Each structure stands twice: as structure tokens, then as C-alpha cells.
Amino acid sequence: MQYSAESQVLARHLDLFAGQSVFFAGQLTDNFPQQSSALRFHIWSWYFDYAKNFAPEHITFGSECQPSADLFVFYWTKNKAENQFQLLQMLAKAPLNQSLLIVGENRSGIKSAEKLLAPYGEIAKIDSARRCSLYYFTLKKIPTFNFADFWQTSPFLTDLQIARLPGVFSANALDAGTQLLLSTLDNRSFFGDVLDLGCGAGIIGTQVKKMHPNIHLVMSDIHAMALASASQTLKLNHLQGEVIASDVFSHLTQKFDVILSNPPFHDGLDTAYRAVEELITQAKWHLKPGGELRIVANRHLPYPDLLDRHFSCHETLAKNNKFCVYSVKNA
């Protein structure tokens, strides 16, 4: 696996890792922890597609962590609230004089780490390369961290309560793509097993469950904060459903009558289509005979051709100047 730009910068400072126990967190995408010269390492990841590649003793996947190491290393993300949530949670559980390295791309806003961490200790930039910056921080004042303070709850669609944690897609408002997909839900009666894949805060799945209480609802995502949010959204609306960590279909074994998705096409700060391609190409193996895949996507993306290639033809259920809702049926 090729190192990310951030890991390439860290690799210039392997002397800081030698003989140390190291706790990694943030937007890791490679195997640098295994190659870092650390005496031992542990990773806290919010991303299941990354976490599933490591043995359980080396990784914690979830929204909470219990860090303990000589050195903390944090890979800065593009989401300011997400960075604040992770860093303050880590430092609130650390001893005074804890050492922390923060690395990130300049375009991700890593400079704001200076303002975020200055009240809690000493921070200084120690390297700049590969369009990234590397900071060294020493903890002098332990911050107060309260998990509950980071929950946001707001009404959607008049009768739905949605819970969200930092970093969850469409965290501040109902995005236009999801809204268009929701507008098509009245055109059929949902029954049996329904999957909301890439569920985010659980808006789509929860709305379908509210409309059709007898369905068996499954919601899946790779993001730990999305999974926690979807579970809380179901609870707030007094509904039942399964919430499963899965990288597309990696940990989904059953077949479904309907698969609904507003699939992501952003990976970090770059655009990536792997997840959507896997969703479309593998969906027929996870649909019952006659089952439906319904997705919403930006109009400029080449999904109609991909849908036709694997399902013979597609139907456009709704569209506006930016998005389309596509439907295909399993033979």
C-alpha cells in the first residue's frame, strides 16, 4: 500500500516513533502504523473499510476510544467538528505532558489546529512537505469533554427526529439528493426486507420504516458516527431496525426486497467511485428476485450506463437540475 502524503511526512520523523507505544487516530488510509518503528501501536478509526483490514488487538472501530500511549498521532480531516470531537476526546483521557503529532494536508485547514489546541498546551509546526504540515503538541491543561454536547437533534419532514454526530453526511440540513429520493417513496408499497445502504444519520431508512412499519429495516454505513447517529435516530422515533457496519456489501449476508441509497462519491478531499461501482455491480447478488435497487446521484455521473450494463435497463423516477433518482429491478 502506498503511503498517503501525510504518512510520507511522518516517515521523515521515524526517530519520534522508535521504542514508543503509539496511538493513531483521524483520517488514516494506509499501513504506516505497522511500518512506523513503534514499539507497539493501536489505531482508533471511524471508518470500517479501513478498520476491517486490521486485527482487533490493533484497532478500535467506534465513536469512543480509550487512548493510552507514549505518543498520540492524529491525521487531520477536512471536517472541523470531527477534528474537535476526536482530539478533545483523546486529550481529555490523556495525562499531562502527553505528546501529540498532528499531520494533515494544507488544503484541509490544518492550520486551525493551532487555534483549537493552543488553550490546552504548547503547539508548534515542525515540518512542511508534500503540501502537508506537521505539528508537535504537548498537553499542559486537560480539556473537558462531554460526548452528549456533540449530539445535534432536529426535526425533518415535520414528523421525523434526526440525530447527528460530527462528520455525518448531511449533518446540518436535508441535502437535495436525499430530498429527491424521499419524494419517490410514495410510488410503491414497501414490504419485506429493506436496506438503507450508506445510511448516514438514517433519514431514508427511518422515513421508510415510519411509512411502512411492517418492513424489516437494515441500515448500514462505514462511518462509526453515522452508525451511532442512525441508531439514535431510530430510538428517537420509537422504531426498530438493524444498524450494521459494512463496506458496501462486505458484511451484509441476506437478500433484500429493496435497496435504497444516496451513495457517496467523495473520499476525503478527492472524488472516488469505488463504493458506488461495487453497489451497482454487486446489488443483484443481494436482491431477491424482482427486488429493486433505487439510488439518487448527481446527473453528471455515469451511473445510467453502469446500471444498464448490469441490469439491462433503468428507469428514471425523478430528476431536477442537479440530481436523478434511478431504479432497476432484479430479474
Side-chain angles (χ1 to χ4, degrees):
M1 182 184 293
Q2 184 176 359
Y3 282 172
S4 66
E6 296 94 328
S7 292
Q8 291 178 46
V9 174
L10 288 172
R12 292 154 58 103
H13 301 271
L14 291 179
D15 57 307
L16 295 175
F17 295 84
Q20 302 288 300
S21 59
V22 183
F23 184 86
F24 292 87
Q27 188 78 48
L28 287 92
T29 59
D30 57 32
N31 66 350
F32 177 78
Q34 294 169 306
Q35 309 296 326
S36 63
S37 303
L39 180 65
R40 59 184 181 274
F41 72 90
H42 194 83
I43 303 167
W44 176 31
S45 177
W46 287 5
Y47 299 95
F48 187 71
D49 54 337
Y50 179 76
K52 66 183 177 65
N53 298 316
F54 289 84
E57 63 267 24
H58 287 305
I59 200 153
T60 296
F61 171 73
S63 56
E64 298 183 74
C65 73
Q66 294 294 331
S68 177
D70 300 317
L71 176 66
F72 291 175
V73 178
F74 185 79
Y75 285 63
W76 192 260
T77 82
K78 67 176 181 178
N79 187 292
K80 183 177 179 180
E82 190 175 51
N83 292 322
Q84 182 182 32
F85 180 95
Q86 288 188 313
L87 282 167
L88 293 185
Q89 183 177 169
M90 290 165 57
L91 295 176
K93 300 173 182 178
L96 288 174
N97 297 312
Q98 174 69 54
S99 297
L100 165 69
L101 293 173
I102 310 105
V103 64
E105 294 187 16
N106 296 327
R107 61 176 178 160
S108 70
I110 189 174
K111 185 174 174 58
S112 61
E114 299 175 18
K115 183 177 180 180
L116 172 63
L117 294 177
Y120 308 110
E122 301 167 356
I123 185 168
K125 184 187 289 190
I126 62 171
D127 200 358
S128 181
R130 308 290 191 272
R131 298 180 180 178
C132 296
S133 295
L134 175 64
Y135 289 87
Y136 191 95
F137 171 81
T138 305
L139 181 64
K140 297 299 182 181
K141 179 183 177 183
I142 296 175
T144 300
F145 175 84
N146 185 354
F147 193 106
D149 291 341
F150 288 85
W151 278 110
Q152 295 182 34
T153 304
S154 58
F156 277 71
L157 307 172
T158 69
D159 62 347
L160 215 60
Q161 291 291 320
I162 303 298
R164 302 173 307 282
L165 286 169
V168 178
F169 174 69
S170 194
N172 299 316
L174 182 62
D175 73 285
T178 296
Q179 194 166 7
L180 188 64
L181 178 57
L182 291 174
S183 74
T184 71
L185 296 183
D186 289 329
N187 78 339
R188 67 162 289 168
S189 178
F190 289 80
F191 58 86
D193 300 296
V194 176
L195 170 64
D196 178 2
L197 193 151
C199 62
I203 297 171
I204 296 170
T206 302
Q207 177 65 8
V208 175
K209 181 69 173 180
K210 189 111 178 170
M211 296 169 64
H212 305 277
N214 292 327
I215 66 168
H216 170 231
L217 174 65
V218 177
M219 296 196 286
S220 70
D221 208 291
I222 61 169
H223 199 300
M225 303 302 274
L227 298 169
S229 298
S231 295
Q232 183 68 5
T233 292
L234 285 172
K235 183 178 179 181
L236 286 176
N237 293 280
H238 309 289
L239 298 171
Q240 299 294 319
E242 292 185 68
V243 181
I244 298 173
S246 184
D247 181 11
V248 193
F249 294 112
S250 69
H251 286 66
L252 297 169
T253 57
Q254 72 178 96
K255 293 182 181 289
F256 298 92
D257 294 283
V258 181
I259 298 174
L260 301 166
S261 186
N262 180 0
F265 64 96
H266 290 288
D267 181 15
L269 290 164
D270 300 308
T271 300
Y273 302 102
R274 178 195 65 84
V276 187
E277 290 176 353
E278 287 187 17
L279 166 60
I280 293 173
T281 58
Q282 298 177 20
K284 63 173 59 180
W285 310 115
H286 295 271
L287 284 168
K288 298 177 185 178
E292 178 191 6
L293 169 65
R294 187 180 301 193
I295 66 172
V296 62
N298 288 67
R299 293 182 62 164
H300 74 274
L301 297 174
Y303 298 157
D305 290 343
L306 193 59
L307 289 165
D308 290 344
R309 195 180 314 147
H310 292 277
F311 289 90
S312 298
C313 64
H314 74 278
E315 181 182 359
T316 301
L317 301 181
K319 63 182 178 181
N320 57 29
N321 60 356
K322 189 174 181 181
F323 296 97
C324 286
V325 178
Y326 304 114
S327 171
V328 290
K329 300 289 181 62
N330 195 30

